[in-house]
mmCIF file of all heavy atoms in Angstrom:
data_model
loop_
_atom_site.group_PDB
_atom_site.id
_atom_site.type_symbol
_atom_site.label_atom_id
_atom_site.label_comp_id
_atom_site.label_asym_id
_atom_site.label_seq_id
_atom_site.Cartn_x
_atom_site.Cartn_y
_atom_site.Cartn_z
ATOM 1 N N ILE A 260 92.398 101.593 58.802
ATOM 2 C CA ILE A 260 91.610 102.669 58.189
ATOM 3 C C ILE A 260 91.053 103.593 59.271
ATOM 4 O O ILE A 260 91.063 104.828 59.125
ATOM 5 C CB ILE A 260 90.469 102.079 57.339
ATOM 6 C CG1 ILE A 260 91.038 101.337 56.127
ATOM 7 C CG2 ILE A 260 89.503 103.171 56.894
ATOM 8 C CD1 ILE A 260 90.003 100.589 55.330
ATOM 9 N N HIS A 261 90.575 102.991 60.358
ATOM 10 C CA HIS A 261 90.023 103.751 61.491
ATOM 11 C C HIS A 261 91.064 104.729 62.031
ATOM 12 O O HIS A 261 90.781 105.917 62.264
ATOM 13 C CB HIS A 261 89.590 102.747 62.566
ATOM 14 C CG HIS A 261 88.879 103.368 63.728
ATOM 15 N ND1 HIS A 261 89.546 103.889 64.807
ATOM 16 C CD2 HIS A 261 87.548 103.525 63.979
ATOM 17 C CE1 HIS A 261 88.668 104.346 65.684
ATOM 18 N NE2 HIS A 261 87.455 104.144 65.208
ATOM 19 N N SER A 262 92.308 104.234 62.208
ATOM 20 C CA SER A 262 93.380 105.063 62.752
ATOM 21 C C SER A 262 93.764 106.188 61.780
ATOM 22 O O SER A 262 93.936 107.346 62.198
ATOM 23 C CB SER A 262 94.607 104.201 63.041
ATOM 24 O OG SER A 262 95.690 104.978 63.461
ATOM 25 N N LYS A 263 93.884 105.859 60.491
ATOM 26 C CA LYS A 263 94.281 106.853 59.500
ATOM 27 C C LYS A 263 93.200 107.937 59.335
ATOM 28 O O LYS A 263 93.509 109.115 59.175
ATOM 29 C CB LYS A 263 94.544 106.177 58.154
ATOM 30 C CG LYS A 263 95.761 105.277 58.142
ATOM 31 C CD LYS A 263 97.029 106.063 58.434
ATOM 32 C CE LYS A 263 98.255 105.184 58.406
ATOM 33 N NZ LYS A 263 99.511 105.923 58.739
ATOM 34 N N TRP A 264 91.956 107.532 59.393
ATOM 35 C CA TRP A 264 90.855 108.478 59.266
ATOM 36 C C TRP A 264 90.833 109.450 60.443
ATOM 37 O O TRP A 264 90.575 110.644 60.278
ATOM 38 C CB TRP A 264 89.543 107.710 59.150
ATOM 39 C CG TRP A 264 88.313 108.553 59.006
ATOM 40 C CD1 TRP A 264 87.191 108.504 59.784
ATOM 41 C CD2 TRP A 264 88.049 109.575 58.019
ATOM 42 N NE1 TRP A 264 86.263 109.413 59.361
ATOM 43 C CE2 TRP A 264 86.765 110.087 58.277
ATOM 44 C CE3 TRP A 264 88.786 110.096 56.961
ATOM 45 C CZ2 TRP A 264 86.190 111.096 57.512
ATOM 46 C CZ3 TRP A 264 88.227 111.106 56.191
ATOM 47 C CH2 TRP A 264 86.937 111.589 56.465
ATOM 48 N N TYR A 265 91.126 108.936 61.632
ATOM 49 C CA TYR A 265 91.202 109.787 62.832
ATOM 50 C C TYR A 265 92.330 110.813 62.678
ATOM 51 O O TYR A 265 92.137 112.005 62.952
ATOM 52 C CB TYR A 265 91.425 108.908 64.062
ATOM 53 C CG TYR A 265 91.662 109.671 65.352
ATOM 54 C CD1 TYR A 265 90.868 110.765 65.715
ATOM 55 C CD2 TYR A 265 92.696 109.302 66.219
ATOM 56 C CE1 TYR A 265 91.084 111.455 66.891
ATOM 57 C CE2 TYR A 265 92.920 109.981 67.398
ATOM 58 C CZ TYR A 265 92.122 111.063 67.728
ATOM 59 O OH TYR A 265 92.335 111.746 68.902
ATOM 60 N N GLN A 266 93.501 110.349 62.237
ATOM 61 C CA GLN A 266 94.639 111.249 62.078
ATOM 62 C C GLN A 266 94.360 112.335 61.035
ATOM 63 O O GLN A 266 94.715 113.501 61.209
ATOM 64 C CB GLN A 266 95.888 110.452 61.680
ATOM 65 C CG GLN A 266 96.374 109.467 62.722
ATOM 66 C CD GLN A 266 96.734 110.132 64.040
ATOM 67 O OE1 GLN A 266 97.236 111.267 64.076
ATOM 68 N NE2 GLN A 266 96.467 109.450 65.138
ATOM 69 N N LEU A 267 93.675 111.942 59.959
ATOM 70 C CA LEU A 267 93.338 112.899 58.909
ATOM 71 C C LEU A 267 92.377 113.964 59.426
ATOM 72 O O LEU A 267 92.564 115.168 59.176
ATOM 73 C CB LEU A 267 92.716 112.174 57.709
ATOM 74 C CG LEU A 267 92.224 113.060 56.561
ATOM 75 C CD1 LEU A 267 93.370 113.884 55.966
ATOM 76 C CD2 LEU A 267 91.543 112.226 55.484
ATOM 77 N N GLN A 268 91.363 113.546 60.170
ATOM 78 C CA GLN A 268 90.395 114.503 60.708
ATOM 79 C C GLN A 268 91.050 115.457 61.714
ATOM 80 O O GLN A 268 90.670 116.631 61.791
ATOM 81 C CB GLN A 268 89.232 113.749 61.375
ATOM 82 C CG GLN A 268 88.332 113.031 60.366
ATOM 83 C CD GLN A 268 87.161 112.354 61.043
ATOM 84 O OE1 GLN A 268 86.110 112.948 61.253
ATOM 85 N NE2 GLN A 268 87.361 111.094 61.419
ATOM 86 N N LYS A 269 92.017 114.960 62.468
ATOM 87 C CA LYS A 269 92.744 115.836 63.388
ATOM 88 C C LYS A 269 93.492 116.922 62.615
ATOM 89 O O LYS A 269 93.493 118.089 63.004
ATOM 90 C CB LYS A 269 93.738 115.014 64.227
ATOM 91 C CG LYS A 269 93.113 114.271 65.390
ATOM 92 C CD LYS A 269 94.138 113.453 66.138
ATOM 93 C CE LYS A 269 95.159 114.303 66.840
ATOM 94 N NZ LYS A 269 96.137 113.485 67.627
ATOM 95 N N LYS A 270 94.134 116.535 61.517
ATOM 96 C CA LYS A 270 94.892 117.507 60.711
ATOM 97 C C LYS A 270 93.974 118.542 60.078
ATOM 98 O O LYS A 270 94.344 119.711 59.926
ATOM 99 C CB LYS A 270 95.686 116.766 59.645
ATOM 100 C CG LYS A 270 96.855 115.956 60.193
ATOM 101 C CD LYS A 270 97.580 115.206 59.095
ATOM 102 C CE LYS A 270 98.739 114.395 59.651
ATOM 103 N NZ LYS A 270 99.443 113.624 58.593
ATOM 104 N N LEU A 271 92.772 118.114 59.716
ATOM 105 C CA LEU A 271 91.826 119.049 59.103
ATOM 106 C C LEU A 271 91.379 120.130 60.088
ATOM 107 O O LEU A 271 90.911 121.195 59.683
ATOM 108 C CB LEU A 271 90.600 118.286 58.579
ATOM 109 C CG LEU A 271 90.852 117.371 57.373
ATOM 110 C CD1 LEU A 271 89.597 116.577 57.038
ATOM 111 C CD2 LEU A 271 91.305 118.186 56.162
ATOM 112 N N GLY A 272 91.535 119.858 61.364
ATOM 113 C CA GLY A 272 91.130 120.817 62.389
ATOM 114 C C GLY A 272 91.890 122.124 62.313
ATOM 115 O O GLY A 272 91.436 123.158 62.822
ATOM 116 N N ILE A 273 93.069 122.103 61.659
ATOM 117 C CA ILE A 273 93.874 123.324 61.563
ATOM 118 C C ILE A 273 93.169 124.410 60.744
ATOM 119 O O ILE A 273 93.462 125.599 60.877
ATOM 120 C CB ILE A 273 95.261 122.999 60.961
ATOM 121 C CG1 ILE A 273 96.233 124.137 61.228
ATOM 122 C CG2 ILE A 273 95.165 122.704 59.467
ATOM 123 C CD1 ILE A 273 97.660 123.821 60.844
ATOM 124 N N PHE A 274 92.231 124.008 59.898
ATOM 125 C CA PHE A 274 91.526 124.980 59.059
ATOM 126 C C PHE A 274 90.340 125.635 59.775
ATOM 127 O O PHE A 274 89.732 126.559 59.242
ATOM 128 C CB PHE A 274 91.026 124.299 57.776
ATOM 129 C CG PHE A 274 92.144 123.763 56.921
ATOM 130 C CD1 PHE A 274 92.367 122.400 56.822
ATOM 131 C CD2 PHE A 274 92.974 124.630 56.222
ATOM 132 C CE1 PHE A 274 93.385 121.904 56.035
ATOM 133 C CE2 PHE A 274 94.005 124.136 55.434
ATOM 134 C CZ PHE A 274 94.220 122.770 55.345
ATOM 135 N N LEU A 275 90.040 125.163 60.972
ATOM 136 C CA LEU A 275 88.944 125.762 61.745
ATOM 137 C C LEU A 275 89.429 126.974 62.513
ATOM 138 O O LEU A 275 90.617 127.068 62.871
ATOM 139 C CB LEU A 275 88.383 124.733 62.733
ATOM 140 C CG LEU A 275 87.641 123.526 62.139
ATOM 141 C CD1 LEU A 275 87.308 122.527 63.252
ATOM 142 C CD2 LEU A 275 86.368 123.963 61.432
ATOM 143 N N ARG A 280 88.283 125.099 67.220
ATOM 144 C CA ARG A 280 89.212 123.979 67.041
ATOM 145 C C ARG A 280 89.268 123.061 68.264
ATOM 146 O O ARG A 280 89.247 121.841 68.132
ATOM 147 C CB ARG A 280 90.606 124.515 66.729
ATOM 148 C CG ARG A 280 91.583 123.442 66.234
ATOM 149 C CD ARG A 280 92.925 124.065 65.919
ATOM 150 N NE ARG A 280 92.758 125.186 64.994
ATOM 151 C CZ ARG A 280 93.518 126.271 64.993
ATOM 152 N NH1 ARG A 280 94.470 126.411 65.902
ATOM 153 N NH2 ARG A 280 93.312 127.239 64.116
ATOM 154 N N TYR A 283 86.245 120.838 68.524
ATOM 155 C CA TYR A 283 86.279 119.857 67.440
ATOM 156 C C TYR A 283 87.215 118.693 67.794
ATOM 157 O O TYR A 283 86.856 117.515 67.657
ATOM 158 C CB TYR A 283 86.739 120.550 66.158
ATOM 159 C CG TYR A 283 87.059 119.619 65.021
ATOM 160 C CD1 TYR A 283 86.043 119.035 64.260
ATOM 161 C CD2 TYR A 283 88.388 119.332 64.682
ATOM 162 C CE1 TYR A 283 86.336 118.185 63.196
ATOM 163 C CE2 TYR A 283 88.692 118.488 63.627
ATOM 164 C CZ TYR A 283 87.661 117.906 62.884
ATOM 165 O OH TYR A 283 87.964 117.071 61.838
ATOM 166 N N LEU A 284 88.428 119.010 68.271
ATOM 167 C CA LEU A 284 89.401 117.975 68.627
ATOM 168 C C LEU A 284 88.931 117.144 69.818
ATOM 169 O O LEU A 284 89.182 115.934 69.884
ATOM 170 C CB LEU A 284 90.758 118.615 68.933
ATOM 171 C CG LEU A 284 91.462 119.270 67.748
ATOM 172 C CD1 LEU A 284 92.739 119.971 68.199
ATOM 173 C CD2 LEU A 284 91.785 118.237 66.661
ATOM 174 N N LYS A 286 85.810 116.423 70.532
ATOM 175 C CA LYS A 286 84.780 115.502 70.021
ATOM 176 C C LYS A 286 85.416 114.309 69.312
ATOM 177 O O LYS A 286 84.972 113.168 69.452
ATOM 178 C CB LYS A 286 83.840 116.248 69.066
ATOM 179 C CG LYS A 286 82.692 116.956 69.753
ATOM 180 C CD LYS A 286 81.656 117.407 68.724
ATOM 181 C CE LYS A 286 80.402 117.911 69.430
ATOM 182 N NZ LYS A 286 79.343 118.280 68.464
ATOM 183 N N LEU A 287 86.451 114.576 68.539
ATOM 184 C CA LEU A 287 87.158 113.501 67.854
ATOM 185 C C LEU A 287 87.773 112.526 68.862
ATOM 186 O O LEU A 287 87.706 111.302 68.694
ATOM 187 C CB LEU A 287 88.270 114.066 66.965
ATOM 188 C CG LEU A 287 87.875 114.670 65.627
ATOM 189 C CD1 LEU A 287 89.128 115.153 64.902
ATOM 190 C CD2 LEU A 287 87.134 113.654 64.763
ATOM 191 N N LYS A 290 85.257 110.298 70.384
ATOM 192 C CA LYS A 290 84.703 109.343 69.427
ATOM 193 C C LYS A 290 85.668 108.194 69.134
ATOM 194 O O LYS A 290 85.246 107.041 69.010
ATOM 195 C CB LYS A 290 84.355 110.070 68.122
ATOM 196 C CG LYS A 290 83.745 109.156 67.061
ATOM 197 C CD LYS A 290 83.382 109.949 65.804
ATOM 198 C CE LYS A 290 82.797 109.029 64.734
ATOM 199 N NZ LYS A 290 82.436 109.774 63.499
ATOM 200 N N TYR A 291 86.961 108.489 69.044
ATOM 201 C CA TYR A 291 87.907 107.492 68.566
ATOM 202 C C TYR A 291 88.785 106.854 69.648
ATOM 203 O O TYR A 291 89.238 105.727 69.469
ATOM 204 C CB TYR A 291 88.819 108.118 67.504
ATOM 205 C CG TYR A 291 88.123 108.364 66.187
ATOM 206 C CD1 TYR A 291 87.599 109.630 65.872
ATOM 207 C CD2 TYR A 291 87.985 107.352 65.255
ATOM 208 C CE1 TYR A 291 86.964 109.857 64.665
ATOM 209 C CE2 TYR A 291 87.347 107.572 64.036
ATOM 210 C CZ TYR A 291 86.842 108.824 63.747
ATOM 211 O OH TYR A 291 86.210 109.043 62.565
#
Side-chain angles (χ1 to χ4, degrees):
I260 293 173
H261 186 274
S262 175
K263 292 298 181 182
W264 180 234
Y265 174 45
Q266 296 300 325
L267 176 60
Q268 290 183 88
K269 281 178 67 178
K270 289 178 180 179
L271 291 175
I273 197 172
F274 298 108
L275 292 173
R280 192 179 307 147
Y283 169 78
L284 293 175
K286 274 192 171 183
L287 282 181
K290 181 178 179 180
Y291 287 97

